Amino acid sequence: MNARVARAGWALGLWGRRVASSHGEPPPDAVDVAELLRDASSAEEGAQEAVARRPPARCSVLLFPGQGSQAVGMGGGLLGFPRVRQLYETAHRVLGYDLLELCLRGPQEDLDRTVHCQPAVFVASLAAVEKLHYLQPAVIENCVAAAGFSVGEFAALVFAGAMEFSEGLYAVKVRAEAMQEASEAVPSGMLSVLGQRQSNFAFACMEAQEHCKSLGIENPVCQVSNYLFPDCKVISGHLEALQFLRKNSAKYHFRRTKMLPVSGGFHTCLMEPAVEPLVKILDTINIKKPLVAVHSNVSGHKYMHPQHIRKLLGQQVVSPVKWEQTMHCIYKRKKGTEFPSTFEVGPGRQLGSILKSCNGQAWKSYSHVDVMQTSVDPDH
């Protein structure tokens, strides 16, 4: 993200303004965002040359976590930073319930419900960006890429200016409700699997499906739904299939398996009923070209244009999250080239752990923007 666009978008409250505009309440010190963006666009060619000349070590990458990273108390360390309370007030209006109260007080079982945790992680992540911008504005100005895991992709797109905060949050609300409903229709889940080089995930899934058929289950589902890092994947599908894999883990050379605390087999065809509601709401949103490269979960590559975003966000619900491929795409570089600084913005440090396993050199420049504590030091 070139400095001029970043200043237009963050120092002067670009998406803060977009939030308020949906409700007819311009925030303090509101500016003519359209004029700023026209100015930024007119300077785009020169800005791209400046980015090309910028040393890699001065650049930054932002990673946005997904469902499963939520924890009671998140957001508590962000409320003293500019515009964060405004985000939660807007979320209250969009969602129809007090998201901040749920995040701060819980209970955890309510926060863990798909309908709640997806909006909660989305808002907390963008609030963490406000903290990062306040403490280290150069990180935002020098951002060259962003990626979000599953629902985190929506936060990444809002950060990049591709959609307004309130519209992005409403899309997340619809997505979460549709996925919750789809997960309740079929007993399904997700299994994290740490394998070995000789592990054959496709063969294991095929045998698990055959096991389900022997139990009388029609059209059983069992497939890799998240590519995390080498030899580590998440398998989603019918509960009977996942139980079969756990019982026979030694046969498939799985070193460790763990059921994830989610309500369904996400990122598989079991979520097909959730696609149409999400696509319908995406069709109503004015999606713009991102101001910074945002990478798609479906392909691992960066989005090219607004229609590309609209299409792949709908597909994402039923497609594997290619996170390992995304990490390779973002951090691939010639030997000896420095790596950008990476910031995980939102609850948890899971994406940092995955980055360490995907690219240990890139991980050395990793930091986490805490959403739990009240410290103003972004490194603690």
Side-chain angles (χ1 to χ4, degrees):
M1 183 179 290
N2 67 67
R4 191 167 188 175
V5 172
R7 282 194 292 271
W10 287 97
L12 299 176
L14 169 60
W15 60 263
R17 167 67 183 271
R18 286 179 174 178
V19 169
S21 68
S22 298
H23 301 277
E25 302 172 11
D29 304 319
V31 296
D32 188 341
V33 175
E35 186 64 34
L36 287 168
L37 289 178
R38 279 194 293 271
D39 289 345
S41 297
S42 65
E44 185 174 358
E45 185 175 341
Q48 288 175 343
E49 292 175 0
V51 168
R53 293 193 299 270
R54 187 184 304 153
R58 281 189 54 207
C59 298
S60 57
V61 172
L62 267 58
L63 303 180
F64 294 80
Q67 183 172 348
S69 61
Q70 69 278 354
V72 172
M74 68 181 191
L78 306 174
L79 297 176
F81 293 96
R83 292 187 293 273
V84 170
R85 286 190 180 273
Q86 181 186 355
L87 292 184
Y88 280 102
E89 289 167 2
T90 300
H92 193 163
R93 293 195 294 270
V94 172
L95 300 172
Y97 61 86
D98 192 340
L99 180 67
L100 180 58
E101 178 68 18
L102 177 61
C103 289
L104 294 179
R105 314 289 180 206
Q108 185 71 46
E109 54 266 31
D110 284 352
L111 183 59
D112 285 344
R113 296 188 68 220
T114 297
V115 291
H116 295 145
C117 70
Q118 290 192 18
V121 171
F122 171 90
V123 176
S125 295
L126 289 168
V129 172
E130 289 287 5
K131 174 181 177 179
L132 181 60
H133 176 250
Y134 180 83
L135 296 173
Q136 296 178 261
V139 171
I140 304 301
E141 293 182 1
N142 294 323
C143 183
V144 294
F149 195 101
S150 192
V151 71
E153 192 169 306
F154 286 80
L157 287 164
V158 170
F159 161 71
M163 61 178 76
E164 297 180 6
F165 172 82
S166 54
E167 291 184 327
L169 177 57
Y170 189 73
V172 168
K173 175 181 183 289
V174 171
R175 178 185 189 269
E177 291 171 349
M179 290 176 69
Q180 178 80 46
E181 185 175 347
S183 67
E184 291 171 354
V186 178
S188 59
M190 303 180 76
L191 180 71
S192 176
V193 179
L194 179 61
Q196 303 177 65
R197 183 170 297 179
Q198 63 267 43
S199 300
N200 188 328
F201 285 84
F203 178 69
C205 288
M206 183 186 70
E207 291 209 329
Q209 287 176 309
E210 291 301 321
H211 170 72
C212 288
K213 290 178 182 178
S214 72
L215 299 177
I217 298 174
E218 296 184 4
N219 303 315
V221 174
C222 184
Q223 66 183 70
V224 174
S225 58
N226 298 171
Y227 293 87
L228 302 181
F229 56 87
D231 301 325
C232 187
K233 299 172 177 59
V234 174
I235 296 175
S236 296
H238 283 80
L239 285 180
E240 293 86 351
L242 303 184
Q243 291 162 357
F244 173 84
L245 292 179
R246 298 196 75 185
K247 183 178 179 181
N248 295 277
S249 59
K251 176 182 178 182
Y252 304 116
H253 305 286
F254 294 161
R255 285 190 282 170
R256 187 169 66 245
T257 63
K258 180 182 178 182
M259 290 295 297
L260 299 182
V262 297
S263 59
F266 300 150
H267 297 288
T268 71
C269 61
L270 292 173
M271 293 296 109
E272 188 65 41
V275 174
E276 185 178 355
L278 176 58
V279 169
K280 281 185 176 180
I281 194 64
L282 290 173
D283 284 341
T284 70
I285 293 177
N286 180 22
I287 299 177
K288 304 176 179 64
K289 183 179 179 179
L291 301 175
V292 61
V294 177
H295 289 252
S296 164
N297 286 181
V298 174
S299 67
H301 301 296
K302 63 183 181 181
Y303 284 113
M304 302 307 296
H305 50 77
Q307 279 304 111
H308 195 210
I309 296 172
R310 209 183 305 275
K311 177 182 178 182
L312 293 190
L313 282 181
Q315 292 180 7
Q316 189 223 60
V317 177
V318 292
S319 302
V321 174
K322 295 183 177 178
W323 193 255
E324 180 183 351
Q325 295 88 329
T326 299
M327 294 298 95
H328 290 319
C329 188
I330 292 176
Y331 296 104
K332 182 179 180 181
R333 59 204 59 233
K334 293 180 181 179
K335 187 175 181 180
T337 304
E338 294 179 299
F339 287 90
S341 297
T342 297
F343 295 84
E344 183 169 357
V345 282
R349 298 171 182 263
Q350 294 92 330
L351 300 184
S353 297
I354 294 172
L355 177 60
K356 185 177 183 180
S357 297
C358 284
N359 192 319
Q361 288 298 113
W363 175 80
K364 291 180 180 178
S365 301
Y366 163 88
S367 300
H368 175 241
V369 182
D370 191 17
V371 302
M372 303 291 287
Q373 301 177 17
T374 55
S375 168
V376 296
D377 185 347
D379 294 324
H380 294 86

